[in-house]
Amino acid sequence: MEKLWMKNLRDITPYVPGEQSKEKDIVKLNANENPYPPSPKAVKAIKDFNCDRLRFYPNANATPLKKAIADFYGVEAENVFLGNGSDDVLAVAFQALFNSELPIAYPDLTYSFYPVWCDLFGIKYKTYPVGDDFRINVEDYKEKNGGVIIPNPNAPTSLGEGREFVEKLMEYNADSIVIIDEAYVDFGGYSSVELTKKYENLLVTGTFSKSRSLAGLRIGFAIGSKTLVSVLEAVKNSYNSYTVDSISIEAGVASMLDREYFESTCNKIIATRKRLTDELLSLGFKVLDSQTNFVFVTSDTLSMKDMFEYLKTKKVFIRYFSLERIENYVRITVGTDDEINRLLAEIKEYIGK
Amino acid sequence: MEKLWMKNLRDITPYVPGEQSKEKDIVKLNANENPYPPSPKAVKAIKDFNCDRLRFYPNANATPLKKAIADFYGVEAENVFLGNGSDDVLAVAFQALFNSELPIAYPDLTYSFYPVWCDLFGIKYKTYPVGDDFRINVEDYKEKNGGVIIPNPNAPTSLGEGREFVEKLMEYNADSIVIIDEAYVDFGGYSSVELTKKYENLLVTGTFSKSRSLAGLRIGFAIGSKTLVSVLEAVKNSYNSYTVDSISIEAGVASMLDREYFESTCNKIIATRKRLTDELLSLGFKVLDSQTNFVFVTSDTLSMKDMFEYLKTKKVFIRYFSLERIENYVRITVGTDDEINRLLAEIKEYIGK
C-alpha cells in the first residue's frame, strides 16, 4: 500500500551509469577516456599537496584555477565558471540560462544527458535531425527557440563544425542564449572561445576529463561574457558553494600550465586516430572524419552489434548504442598504439582477414 | 538596453560565500572547521593514490565509500547516498523529496541555505520560531506540511534534541518526509540513524567536513530507507553521474575506517568546548549548552558586534550574524587549546580583565 508521503517523491526514471569492468588485461575503449596519464606536473601537485589543509573549506571561488584557465584561453578570470565536471557545469547552465517558455533546440543525435536535464528542470526542448551525413544543418536553428545547445565536435558522431557555422548560428540566434559544448574540441576541433568576446550570449563549456586525463577528479568549466558567468555563479552559489575541491584546484592549475604535455598527448591521440581510421577503411569499414578522441564506425556488410559483442568476449570494450539511425554504428575510443593494435588484431580475427 | 536573450536568464540573488583570509598568524574560528588535520590514514590514502587512474572516470556508484559508511553506521550500502559535500546531498534531497504543493517546515533560526534551495527549486516553506531559549518546539511540527527539515544539533544555536524529540516528530509527520541534518552530531549530539530502520520516511544527512576534517574534499552523505535513497539516486544520476571523485572515495574510506582517530579528535574538541564554555561563563558571558564544535555566546552588557570587530583587528576571526533575534550573539568555533587560549586572552584584554 502506498503511503501518503510517497506522493512527494520526485518521479524520475533513473539514468544508469555505464558499467566499469574490474577485470584485468582488458582494453577499455568504451568511455572516451584518455589513454595517457595526467601531466606529471598535475601528479606532482597532488603528491605535494599539504593534506592538513583539507580541514579547511576550499577557496569558494576557486580563483587560482579560474585564473589558470583564463590565462590559457586569453580571457579574464571573471569570464570563467567552474563545476564538478562538465555535467555539473551544463546542468547549472540549463537551470540558469534556459529559463524560457519556448523549447530549447539541439540535434537529435547528441549527448544523451540533454533531455535528462530538460526533464529534471522542466525545460521544453525540440530536436532537429542531423543530415544523412550526420552533419548539423545550421539553417534548422533559425527557428525561434528558448536557447540552443550544440556539442562541437558532436558525439557520438565525432564530426566538428568550423567558425563559419558558429558565426551563422550566432547570427540566427541573436535573441537566444547559445551553448557550445566543447568536451572534445582539443583533438582537432574549432574552439569558439574567441567568439565569446564578440557574442555576449555565447557560452562555451569544456572539461578536464578528456584531453587532460583528469576524469577521476571532476573538473569542468565554462567561458563566456561576465553577464552569463555571473548568472551561473548566482545559481551555483544557491546550490553548493564549494563544488571544486582543494586538491582538484591545485592539480587543475598544474595541468593548465603544462601546455607542452597537453599538446604532445593530444597530438599522439590525433596520430593514432589517423592510423586507426586508415586501417579500418582498408578493412572495408566506413569511418566518419573524426575531430575527437573516438571514431564512429559502420559497415555495409557486418553487424556492428555482433562485432561489439564479439570484442567484449575478447576483453576489448567498445561502445554500441541501440538507437534509431545509428543502430549499425559503434563508437571506439582512441587508445594507445598498443591498445589499437590489439583492437585491430581482434577485428581482423573476427572478419577473417 | 536589455537584449532579448537576457529575459531567459534566471533571476537569482547571489549568495556570497564567506571570505577566507589569506593572512598568516590568524586564529580562524569563523567557519566551524576542525582544528585537527584529517586522519593520518586518510592522508596516506591520498599520498598512495595511483594518479594514473585519474584518467578514468570514478566508480559512478562510489561503492567502496558507501560500504565503509554503511559498516560504520550498521546499515546496508543501499541505505547510503553520497554527494559533493552535504550541501549537494541536501540540495538533491530538496529536489527529490520535497515535491509537494504544501510548504515544507523548519525552524526560523537555522542553516541559511534552506530558503535558498527552496527559492531555487520553487519549493514553498514555512518557518516556525524557536523558543526564547532557542529550543525547537516539536509541537509546531504537527501542522500539515510538504516535508520537514530539522538540523540536529541546530546551527547557529548549537542546541541538540534527543530521541524523544525525534520520535515525536516522526509520530506527527507520518505523512511527510522528514530530513534530520546531522552535520554537527559527532560532537555529542543524538544521531537518528538508528531510527531510519524504523521510519521509512526519515532521511539523516551527514558530512566529512566537520568531525572528519575533510572540508577541502567535499564529501557528504545521507542514510535512509532504500525507498528514499533510490529516489535520491535517480535525481542525482539525472544531474551528474560522478559527484564524488576518485581520490575522495579512497580518502573517505580510510577516514571512516579510522574510528580511533575520529573519536579522539572529537573528544578533544568536546573537552576544549567545555573549558571554553566555563571560561566564558566565568567572564560573565552567557553560553548556550553546545552539542556542536562551536559555542553560541551573548552578553547582557557588551555588544557582541563590537567584540567581533575588535577581535578581527587582533586577527582572531569569529562569526557574527546581523539577524533578528540573534543580533547580540556570536558563534565561536572550538579550535585547538592554543587557539582558544589566544581567543580568551584577547577577550580578557577587550573587557579589561
Side-chain angles (χ1 to χ4, degrees):
Chain A
M1 193 193 66
E2 189 170 87
K3 293 160 190 107
L4 275 176
W5 54 266
M6 286 190 178
K7 73 181 184 322
N8 294 342
L9 299 174
R10 188 76 190 255
D11 183 19
I12 290 269
T13 306
Y15 167 89
V16 181
E19 44 181 338
Q20 293 271 22
S21 175
K22 275 170 192 151
E23 275 190 88
K24 298 277 173 197
D25 192 33
I26 63 162
V27 178
K28 189 170 182 307
L29 306 174
N30 62 352
N32 293 347
E33 288 151 334
N34 198 307
Y36 302 107
S39 154
K41 289 178 182 165
V43 173
K44 185 169 185 302
I46 295 169
K47 296 295 172 192
D48 290 352
F49 187 87
N50 172 10
C51 290
D52 284 6
R53 272 180 53 202
L54 291 176
R55 69 189 184 86
F56 297 117
Y57 284 91
N59 178 313
N61 200 32
T63 314
L65 184 51
K66 283 186 180 169
K67 209 178 159 327
I69 293 170
D71 289 348
F72 186 91
Y73 287 102
V75 298
E76 303 294 316
E78 292 75 21
N79 299 117
V80 180
F81 175 76
L82 287 170
N84 181 38
S86 70
D87 283 349
D88 180 42
V89 170
L90 287 164
V92 170
F94 271 56
Q95 283 173 277
L97 311 179
F98 290 159
N99 190 36
S100 168
E101 281 308 306
L102 288 172
I104 67 162
Y106 57 82
D108 64 336
L109 289 182
T110 192
Y111 189 34
S112 56
F113 243 116
Y114 299 162
V116 175
W117 289 318
C118 286
D119 289 343
L120 182 63
F121 304 127
I123 298 165
K124 297 189 191 88
Y125 61 93
K126 180 172 176 183
T127 59
Y128 294 85
V130 296
D132 288 339
D133 58 357
F134 291 155
R135 296 214 92 92
I136 298 166
N137 181 5
V138 73
E139 303 301 322
D140 289 341
Y141 297 85
K142 274 179 162 167
E143 195 170 0
K144 214 163 151 52
N145 57 55
V148 176
I149 178 152
I150 303 276
N152 189 33
N154 196 8
T157 66
S158 80
L159 300 173
E161 303 295 340
R163 176 167 178 150
E164 201 187 342
F165 174 98
V166 181
E167 292 267 21
K168 267 197 182 164
L169 186 67
M170 297 313 299
E171 186 195 315
Y172 298 158
N173 289 281
D175 294 339
S176 290
I177 290 158
V178 176
I179 302 178
I180 307 280
D181 175 351
E182 295 193 351
Y184 295 105
V185 78
D186 295 325
F187 305 103
Y190 165 73
S191 173
S192 302
V193 167
E194 57 171 347
L195 297 180
T196 61
K197 292 177 185 176
K198 186 171 170 185
Y199 301 105
E200 208 185 351
N201 56 327
L202 171 64
L203 189 80
V204 174
T205 63
T207 177
F208 282 62
S209 300
K210 309 293 182 191
S211 55
R212 294 186 183 273
S213 307
L214 288 171
L217 276 193
R218 323 305 307 122
I219 314 172
F221 60 92
I223 296 176
S225 63
K226 289 174 194 180
T227 306
L228 295 190
V229 168
S230 66
V231 179
L232 295 175
E233 292 287 350
V235 170
K236 173 252 181 194
N237 282 321
S238 301
Y239 187 95
N240 188 359
S241 310
Y242 309 95
T243 42
V244 184
D245 71 76
S246 302
I247 294 179
S248 297
I249 291 173
E250 299 292 327
V253 168
S255 169
M256 262 299 150
L257 291 176
D258 195 355
R259 196 183 279 263
E260 193 181 331
Y261 183 85
F262 166 73
E263 287 175 355
S264 99
T265 48
C266 287
N267 285 335
K268 276 203 275 189
I269 289 165
I270 292 168
T272 306
R273 179 181 72 207
K274 181 169 181 351
R275 186 169 71 84
L276 171 61
T277 303
D278 291 346
E279 293 252 25
L280 288 171
L281 290 170
S282 78
L283 291 171
F285 291 93
K286 289 185 173 170
V287 186
L288 273 70
D289 186 19
S290 171
Q291 293 188 356
T292 64
N293 71 336
F294 59 88
V295 291
F296 203 48
V297 182
T298 189
S299 161
D300 288 340
T301 52
L302 294 163
S303 156
M304 290 296 94
K305 182 163 191 288
D306 291 350
M307 188 174 83
F308 157 77
E309 297 286 0
Y310 172 83
L311 290 172
K312 207 194 292 196
T313 67
K314 298 294 176 179
K315 295 189 184 176
V316 175
F317 295 87
I318 62 174
R319 189 81 186 264
Y320 173 75
F321 303 89
S322 183
L323 290 175
E324 220 181 313
R325 298 193 76 188
I326 57 170
E327 61 280 327
N328 202 37
Y329 279 80
V330 285
R331 190 193 75 182
I332 305 173
T333 305
V334 179
T336 61
D337 278 310
D338 282 352
E339 289 172 322
I340 294 306
N341 289 342
R342 175 125 166 249
L343 166 83
L344 288 166
E346 296 293 358
I347 290 178
K348 284 176 191 168
E349 182 75 26
Y350 178 66
I351 64 180
K353 286 209 180 166
Chain B
M1 195 193 68
E2 188 170 88
K3 292 162 190 106
L4 276 175
W5 54 266
M6 286 190 178
K7 72 181 183 323
N8 294 342
L9 299 175
R10 188 77 189 257
D11 183 19
I12 291 267
T13 307
Y15 167 89
V16 180
E19 43 181 339
Q20 292 272 21
S21 175
K22 274 169 192 152
E23 275 190 88
K24 298 279 174 196
D25 193 32
I26 63 162
V27 177
K28 190 172 182 308
L29 305 174
N30 61 352
N32 293 348
E33 289 150 334
N34 199 307
Y36 302 107
S39 155
K41 289 179 183 165
V43 174
K44 186 171 186 302
I46 296 168
K47 295 296 174 193
D48 290 352
F49 187 86
N50 173 9
C51 289
D52 284 6
R53 271 179 54 201
L54 291 176
R55 69 189 184 86
F56 297 118
Y57 284 91
N59 178 313
N61 201 32
T63 314
L65 184 51
K66 284 186 181 169
K67 210 180 158 326
I69 294 171
D71 289 348
F72 186 91
Y73 287 102
V75 298
E76 303 294 316
E78 292 75 21
N79 298 116
V80 180
F81 176 76
L82 287 170
N84 181 38
S86 70
D87 283 350
D88 181 41
V89 170
L90 287 164
V92 171
F94 271 57
Q95 284 173 277
L97 311 179
F98 289 159
N99 190 37
S100 167
E101 280 308 307
L102 288 173
I104 67 162
Y106 58 82
D108 64 336
L109 289 182
T110 192
Y111 189 33
S112 57
F113 244 117
Y114 299 162
V116 175
W117 289 318
C118 286
D119 289 343
L120 183 62
F121 304 127
I123 298 165
K124 297 189 191 88
Y125 62 92
K126 180 171 176 183
T127 59
Y128 294 85
V130 296
D132 288 339
D133 58 358
F134 292 154
R135 296 215 91 93
I136 299 167
N137 181 4
V138 73
E139 302 302 320
D140 289 342
Y141 297 85
K142 273 180 163 168
E143 194 170 1
K144 213 163 152 54
N145 57 56
V148 176
I149 178 151
I150 303 276
N152 190 31
N154 196 8
T157 66
S158 80
L159 301 173
E161 303 295 339
R163 177 167 179 151
E164 200 187 343
F165 174 98
V166 182
E167 292 267 22
K168 267 197 181 164
L169 186 67
M170 297 313 298
E171 184 195 317
Y172 298 157
N173 289 281
D175 294 340
S176 290
I177 290 158
V178 176
I179 303 178
I180 307 280
D181 175 351
E182 296 192 349
Y184 295 104
V185 79
D186 295 326
F187 305 103
Y190 165 72
S191 173
S192 302
V193 167
E194 57 171 347
L195 297 181
T196 61
K197 293 179 185 175
K198 185 170 170 186
Y199 301 104
E200 208 185 350
N201 56 328
L202 171 63
L203 189 80
V204 174
T205 62
T207 177
F208 282 61
S209 299
K210 309 292 182 192
S211 55
R212 295 184 183 275
S213 307
L214 288 171
L217 276 194
R218 322 305 307 121
I219 314 173
F221 60 91
I223 296 176
S225 62
K226 289 174 194 178
T227 306
L228 295 190
V229 169
S230 66
V231 179
L232 295 175
E233 291 287 349
V235 169
K236 173 254 182 192
N237 282 322
S238 300
Y239 187 94
N240 187 359
S241 311
Y242 309 96
T243 42
V244 184
D245 71 76
S246 301
I247 293 179
S248 297
I249 291 173
E250 299 292 328
V253 168
S255 170
M256 261 301 151
L257 291 176
D258 195 355
R259 195 183 280 263
E260 193 182 332
Y261 183 85
F262 166 73
E263 287 175 355
S264 100
T265 47
C266 287
N267 286 335
K268 275 202 277 188
I269 289 165
I270 291 168
T272 306
R273 179 181 72 207
K274 178 163 184 356
R275 185 169 71 85
L276 171 61
T277 303
D278 292 345
E279 294 252 25
L280 288 171
L281 289 171
S282 78
L283 291 171
F285 291 93
K286 289 187 174 168
V287 186
L288 273 70
D289 187 20
S290 171
Q291 294 188 356
T292 63
N293 70 337
F294 58 88
V295 291
F296 202 48
V297 181
T298 189
S299 162
D300 288 339
T301 52
L302 294 164
S303 156
M304 290 297 96
K305 183 163 190 286
D306 290 351
M307 188 174 83
F308 156 78
E309 298 286 359
Y310 171 83
L311 290 172
K312 207 195 286 195
T313 67
K314 299 294 176 178
K315 295 189 184 178
V316 175
F317 295 88
I318 61 174
R319 189 81 186 265
Y320 173 74
F321 303 90
S322 184
L323 291 175
E324 220 181 314
R325 299 191 76 189
I326 56 169
E327 61 280 327
N328 202 38
Y329 279 80
V330 285
R331 190 192 74 182
I332 305 173
T333 305
V334 179
T336 60
D337 279 311
D338 282 353
E339 288 172 323
I340 294 307
N341 289 342
R342 178 130 163 245
L343 166 83
L344 288 167
E346 296 293 358
I347 289 178
K348 284 176 190 167
E349 182 75 26
Y350 179 66
I351 64 180
K353 285 207 178 165

